[in-house]
């Protein structure tokens, strides 16, 4: 859940795509949204403040009905998607406990690489956003002033803060005696097992559950030995559950077959090559975001479903006078302590399944009963 645009998340990549759908709808369906007039700019905001990154980026764009061109054509013009920075003032306010508004001036920046817009209906080069640093555990208010029209738009969000919560794994994990056991051997056959992930205190309204699988990839010589210096440590970041909204207890259960199916689907087949692999350990984390993002996703899902119509009739927004979503997120990980390391080792049978299991055929894992860390 961590969108923010610097770590596309998962939840965040999904929301970005949904945001594009929403923006296209707003820009093109003028007969259904009366508020959009000829060349009357309306802000479209996409911002989820991520406490785990140094710099956050917020997209602030505009939706409008061009007078003499199709919305599709105008969407290809990058300048038409953004407000003129000489005409619009954007300010972020941090709300202190005594309700004092502490102003922060975001900076205008061109996004490149993974943070830029994907190619598609909308112009993706150049892509811009407002950035700011120094996120703390506080309520934030986003203000957009259009100095040409005199209109003021704003949105606000509380802070997602995982500092008072703890990640619980059941069966419990103890490095020396209770490793992560995705499979067990019963009557000489592999049998998948499940793990329940819970948190002691819910710190958000919507969550992603992620598992990072660490492994090593290397070259093998003609004798099947590892070529010295060819080892490369890699990580597969698997979103085991996306956009999970608890109805009571957190309780997310992941089965071993889901874990191995995900790993097998991610890794290439290295049969008949000199590439080998060795399994390491796993990390478990939970990303959580505040209520506005939960409401935004729920509204999009409800209106994009086959039984609920193709387009949102009244898309959710917490941007007063505009459209989009403004929320915050945080990440909860296992403590990085000597007695409870963040990277967790797995059981002997689990490592054995990597080299012998049906789902892992062709993935090149060498036989081992211990992790390559």
């Amino acid at each position: 859940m961590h969108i923010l645009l610097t770590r596309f998340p998962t939840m965040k990549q999904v929301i970005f795509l949904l945001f594009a759908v929403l923006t296209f709808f707003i820009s093109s369906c003028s007969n259904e949204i009366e508020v959009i007039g000829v060349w009357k700019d309306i802000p479209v905001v996409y911002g989820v403040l991520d406490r785990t990154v140094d710099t956050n980026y917020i997209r602030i764009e505009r939706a409008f009905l061009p007078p003499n061109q199709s919305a599709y054509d105008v969407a290809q013009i990058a300048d038409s998607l953004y407000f003129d920075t000489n005409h619009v003032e954007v300010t972020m306010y941090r709300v202190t406990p005594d309700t004092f508004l502490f102003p922060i001036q975001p900076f205008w920046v061109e996004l490149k690489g993974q943070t830029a817009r994907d190619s598609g209906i909308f112009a993706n080069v150049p892509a811009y956003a407002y950035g700011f640093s120094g996120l703390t555990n506080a309520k934030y208010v986003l203000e957009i002033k259009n100095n040409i029209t005199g209109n003021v738009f704003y949105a606000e969000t509380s802070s997602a803060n995982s500092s008072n919560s703890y990640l619980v794994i059941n069966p419990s994990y103890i490095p020396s005696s209770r490793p992560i056991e995705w499979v067990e051997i019963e009557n000489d056959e592999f049998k998948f097992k499940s793990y329940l992930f819970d948190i002691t205190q819910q710190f958000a309204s919507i969550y992603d559950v992620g598992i990072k699988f660490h492994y090593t990839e290397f070259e093998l010589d003609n004798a099947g030995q590892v070529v010295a210096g060819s080892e490369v440590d890699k990580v597969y970041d698997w979103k085991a559950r996306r956009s999970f909204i608890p109805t009571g207890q957190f309780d997310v259960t992941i089965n071993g077959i889901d874990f191995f199916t995900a790993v097998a689907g991610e890794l290439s087949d290295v049969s008949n090559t000199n590439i080998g692999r060795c399994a390491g350990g796993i990390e478990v984390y939970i990303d959580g975001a505040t209520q506005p993002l939960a409401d935004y996703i729920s509204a999009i899902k409800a209106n994009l479903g086959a039984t609920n119509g193709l387009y949102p009739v009244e898309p959710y927004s917490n941007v007063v006078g505009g459209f989009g979503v403004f929320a915050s997120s945080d990440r909860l990980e296992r403590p990085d302590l000597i007695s409870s390391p963040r990277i967790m080792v797995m059981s002997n049978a689990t490592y054995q399944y990597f080299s012998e299991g049906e789902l892992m055929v062709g993935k090149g894992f060498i036989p081992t009963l211990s992790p390559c860390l």
Side-chain angles (χ1 to χ4, degrees):
M1 223 196 305
H2 229 325
I3 96 157
L4 323 294
L5 297 178
T6 56
R7 175 184 30 221
F8 266 114
T10 56
M11 180 190 297
K12 300 166 187 177
Q13 288 177 324
V14 173
I15 301 308
F16 178 72
L17 294 176
L18 294 176
F19 167 71
V21 173
L22 175 62
T23 307
F24 176 67
F25 167 73
I26 294 169
S27 300
S28 59
C29 298
S30 60
N31 60 326
E32 296 184 17
I33 302 180
E34 296 179 358
V35 71
I36 299 181
V38 175
W39 295 117
K40 183 176 180 180
D41 294 336
I42 296 175
V44 180
V45 176
Y46 174 73
V48 182
L49 308 180
D50 185 355
R51 282 171 49 85
T52 68
V53 301
D54 294 331
T55 302
N56 278 265
Y57 299 98
I58 300 173
R59 289 187 184 277
I60 299 177
E61 302 177 3
R62 61 180 181 173
F64 56 86
L65 175 63
N68 300 310
Q69 289 177 272
S70 73
Y72 181 86
D73 291 337
V74 174
Q76 301 295 314
I77 306 172
D79 289 346
S80 71
L81 303 178
Y82 303 98
F83 290 99
D84 188 326
T85 54
N86 295 316
H87 299 163
V88 172
E89 296 180 32
V90 176
T91 306
M92 183 83 70
Y93 293 95
R94 184 169 65 242
V95 184
T96 64
D98 56 0
T99 69
F100 176 76
L101 297 179
F102 181 79
I104 303 169
Q105 300 299 328
F107 55 89
W108 179 248
V109 63
E110 180 178 354
L111 300 176
K112 298 180 182 295
Q114 289 185 334
T115 60
R117 182 195 297 278
D118 291 340
S119 59
I121 292 176
F122 296 93
N124 64 328
V125 178
Y128 299 100
Y130 289 88
F132 81 102
S133 304
L135 184 66
T136 63
N137 180 26
K139 179 179 179 179
Y140 284 86
V141 175
L142 176 67
E143 180 185 72
I144 305 168
K145 289 183 178 180
N146 189 325
N147 294 327
I148 301 299
T149 64
N151 293 328
V152 180
F153 312 92
Y154 68 91
E156 63 181 50
T157 182
S158 58
S159 176
N161 183 7
S162 67
S163 59
N164 294 323
S165 188
Y166 187 85
L167 176 56
V168 178
I169 299 175
N170 188 18
S172 61
Y173 169 75
I174 301 175
S176 58
S177 59
R178 293 182 185 174
I180 297 297
E181 192 174 13
W182 289 118
V183 298
E184 64 181 350
I185 298 178
E186 188 176 281
N187 299 325
D188 295 327
E189 293 185 356
F190 290 111
K191 180 181 178 181
F192 294 106
K193 301 187 69 175
S194 296
Y195 276 86
L196 185 147
F197 300 97
D198 196 5
I199 56 178
T200 57
Q201 179 175 318
Q202 295 185 27
F203 62 93
S205 299
I206 187 168
Y207 299 89
D208 283 348
V209 179
I211 296 178
K212 293 182 179 180
F213 168 57
H214 294 255
Y215 66 100
T216 303
E217 196 169 272
F218 42 77
E219 296 180 17
L220 299 171
D221 60 23
N222 293 334
Q225 300 299 310
V226 177
V227 176
S230 67
E231 301 95 334
V232 178
D233 293 330
K234 296 189 174 183
V235 180
Y236 166 45
D237 192 347
W238 172 46
K239 295 298 182 181
R241 288 289 184 275
R242 295 178 182 270
S243 304
F244 170 66
I245 300 178
T247 56
Q249 194 76 8
F250 185 85
D251 289 5
V252 171
T253 299
I254 308 297
N255 189 274
I257 192 170
D258 296 330
F259 170 73
F260 280 107
T261 299
V263 172
E266 171 69 14
L267 301 185
S268 61
D269 190 314
V270 294
S271 301
N272 303 316
T273 71
N274 68 333
I275 301 298
R277 295 179 172 123
C278 187
I282 65 169
E283 297 178 73
V284 178
Y285 64 88
I286 295 174
D287 288 336
T290 50
Q291 190 64 46
L293 188 58
D295 292 339
Y296 183 80
I297 294 176
S298 297
I300 291 293
K301 284 183 175 180
N303 287 296
L304 290 182
T307 60
N308 294 292
L310 185 59
Y311 297 108
V313 177
E314 295 182 0
Y316 170 84
S317 171
N318 68 330
V319 181
V320 179
F323 294 93
V325 62
F326 182 61
S328 72
S329 74
D330 198 10
R331 171 167 289 191
L332 175 64
E333 298 177 285
R334 286 180 51 82
D336 193 10
L337 305 174
I338 296 177
S339 60
S340 183
R342 181 172 292 166
I343 298 181
M344 299 178 287
V345 299
M346 295 178 283
S347 66
N348 291 350
T350 300
Y351 289 111
Q352 185 177 347
Y353 189 88
F354 275 100
S355 59
E356 300 178 12
E358 181 179 4
L359 292 173
M360 305 308 296
V361 172
K363 303 306 177 182
F365 284 92
I366 61 174
T368 180
L369 297 181
S370 60
C372 297
L373 296 176

